[in-house]
Amino acid sequence: MVDAPMAVVAIDRDGIIRSANATAESFFGGPLIGSSAVPIAGLIDDLKLRGDADEDAVAAFNVRSRSRSRIDGVHMQAWRLDGTPVSVDVEAACFTSEGESFVTLFIQDVTSVMEAERAVLELRFQITQNWRLNSLGELASVMAHELNQPLSAIANHLHAARVLLSREDCDAGVVQQSLDAAEALAQRAGDTIRRLRALLSRDTGYHKAEFVADVIGEIMPILSISAHAGAAELLLDVDPKHQAACDRVQLQQVIFNLVRNALEAPPSGTRRQVRISGQSLGQGAYSIAVEDNGPGIAPEILGRLFDPLVSTKPDGMGLGLSICRTIVEAHGGKINSAESALGGAAFVFSLNEASAVRT
């Protein structure tokens, strides 16, 4: 207990700390045993255990503690002797010494863990926001393209109706045909507009030399959560020495979307595997592949895979792969689909390789 890397204290039946290792006294900021009794309740909020707790009570405490920290993400609140709050996880164990019952508390400082969790959440928010920006830009392009034709045709039909009405021998039936045609085109334009979703905007950033393994590694906690939820295996095979010229968040966005698509592909009867790999192609090019062992790509959409508004998902907007293509091409690269060595689909895209490599 003396040399334990975490704070360890033993409490008696009154909840008083009877022994503490050096790590505990360093963590709490002062001596915990000596002339004045230090109750554990004054250091850790809502800690109801006492030294005379039986094994069932201690086991129940440990179950609750693990559930709070690992499932709900809730940690216990501790206080250093100077009044500084700090978050901790606590586990307990019973022991007896010279006929007296005690409970040992193993106290883990989770401040760095919580900071990492906050960083992951911020990164997830950043990717989501950037995704919305690119979706908005792509959707605006789609809207401009699809609305231009019906709006131009509406103007032509209304102009024709105005000309016909100005004539003395106006044929009401022909005018009605022009108006009906204009109304139908207006309905088509309305249907197109209804495809628009609420998307927020954010700056797109800029391109610079980035270590590809670091960029992808930053979002691996997010991807791993999604993989774990689907009982999938996520593999990363990227040389840590290579750099590519890219917008860090946009590259993460492409990887995020391709991995998500791989995880959400229809089941194929075996545990889902998704592999992210990278390799230098030479002559200033770098290639990244995301592949899976799913059922592959349906032949009927293979030729339209990267077109906007093409989706095999019931609720899909059909913009994911189109946005990926837009981002990759903005980086001077190309993206293509292929058959995966794992048995499913593979998406491979290229970037400009930065000249410097990590030694």
Side-chain angles (χ1 to χ4, degrees):
M1 185 177 90
V2 174
D3 299 325
M6 68 172 64
V8 182
V9 301
I11 58 174
D12 62 20
R13 62 184 301 165
D14 297 317
I16 302 300
I17 298 175
R18 295 282 293 274
S19 66
N21 67 351
T23 305
E25 296 194 331
S26 174
F27 172 70
F28 284 106
L32 300 177
I33 55 176
S35 57
S36 60
V38 179
I40 193 63
L43 298 179
I44 302 178
D45 292 347
D46 301 321
L47 185 62
K48 308 299 185 183
L49 279 181
R50 297 292 181 267
D52 56 357
D54 59 25
E55 292 186 358
D56 290 341
V58 169
F61 170 84
N62 288 335
V63 169
R64 288 194 304 272
S65 179
R66 292 172 192 145
S67 175
R68 282 163 55 95
S69 63
R70 300 177 188 175
I71 299 175
D72 300 330
V74 179
H75 306 282
M76 300 190 76
Q77 182 74 63
W79 300 88
R80 292 193 168 101
L81 295 176
D82 63 1
T84 303
V86 60
S87 295
V88 296
D89 284 343
V90 181
E91 296 234 7
C94 299
F95 78 97
T96 301
S97 177
E98 297 180 356
E100 187 176 358
S101 297
F102 297 90
V103 165
T104 301
L105 300 177
F106 301 89
I107 304 166
Q108 179 69 50
D109 180 5
V110 294
T111 304
S112 59
V113 174
M114 293 186 67
E115 289 175 353
E117 289 172 350
R118 282 193 292 268
V120 168
L121 290 175
E122 172 59 26
L123 178 60
R124 182 180 236 165
F125 175 76
Q126 187 180 30
I127 291 175
T128 301
Q129 293 293 86
N130 203 60
W131 182 269
R132 288 171 175 171
L133 170 66
N134 284 282
S135 297
L136 181 60
E138 184 74 23
L139 196 55
S141 298
V142 172
M143 294 301 111
H145 178 270
E146 295 206 2
L147 289 176
N148 182 62
Q149 181 181 358
L151 291 177
S152 297
I154 288 171
N156 291 335
H157 283 297
L158 293 177
H159 177 72
R162 180 180 292 109
V163 171
L164 290 171
L165 288 171
S166 66
R167 295 177 180 176
E168 294 183 359
D169 59 343
C170 173
D171 186 335
V174 176
V175 173
Q176 186 62 50
Q177 289 176 3
S178 293
L179 294 176
D180 289 343
E183 181 182 13
L185 288 165
Q187 181 63 46
R188 173 187 164 187
D191 291 340
T192 300
I193 292 173
R194 277 187 284 274
R195 300 176 191 175
L196 182 63
R197 304 282 179 90
L199 300 171
L200 304 178
S201 61
R202 191 181 177 100
D203 290 340
T204 56
Y206 56 93
H207 298 181
K208 66 177 183 178
E210 298 276 7
F211 288 104
V212 177
D214 291 351
V215 173
I216 300 175
E218 197 170 63
I219 61 170
M220 282 300 290
I222 300 173
L223 299 176
S224 297
I225 291 172
S226 298
H228 179 72
E233 181 180 13
L234 183 60
L235 308 171
L236 178 62
D237 181 19
V238 177
D239 190 326
K241 295 182 296 183
H242 286 101
Q243 287 184 312
C246 66
D247 180 303
R248 188 181 190 90
V249 174
Q250 288 188 347
L251 175 56
Q252 290 172 340
Q253 184 176 337
V254 173
I255 297 294
F256 184 86
N257 184 59
L258 295 178
V259 171
R260 185 182 64 176
N261 283 352
L263 293 172
E264 293 178 354
S268 56
T270 58
R271 184 188 182 192
R272 180 58 42 86
Q273 286 185 320
V274 179
R275 181 170 63 199
I276 308 168
S277 59
Q279 62 174 330
S280 174
L281 301 178
Q283 299 181 336
Y286 188 84
S287 172
I288 298 176
V290 176
E291 49 190 328
D292 62 64
N293 63 341
I297 302 169
E300 60 268 21
I301 68 165
L302 192 57
R304 302 180 295 118
L305 202 56
F306 296 96
D307 291 348
L309 307 182
V310 174
S311 177
T312 59
K313 302 175 184 177
D315 299 322
M317 291 181 68
L319 289 174
L321 289 176
S322 178
I323 291 170
C324 288
R325 182 182 63 181
T326 298
I327 292 174
V328 171
E329 291 180 352
H331 282 70
K334 298 290 184 183
I335 184 169
N336 296 290
S337 62
E339 292 184 359
S340 167
L342 298 177
F347 289 88
V348 184
F349 63 96
S350 59
L351 299 170
N352 294 320
E353 188 173 34
S355 56
V357 297
R358 178 153 44 196
T359 57

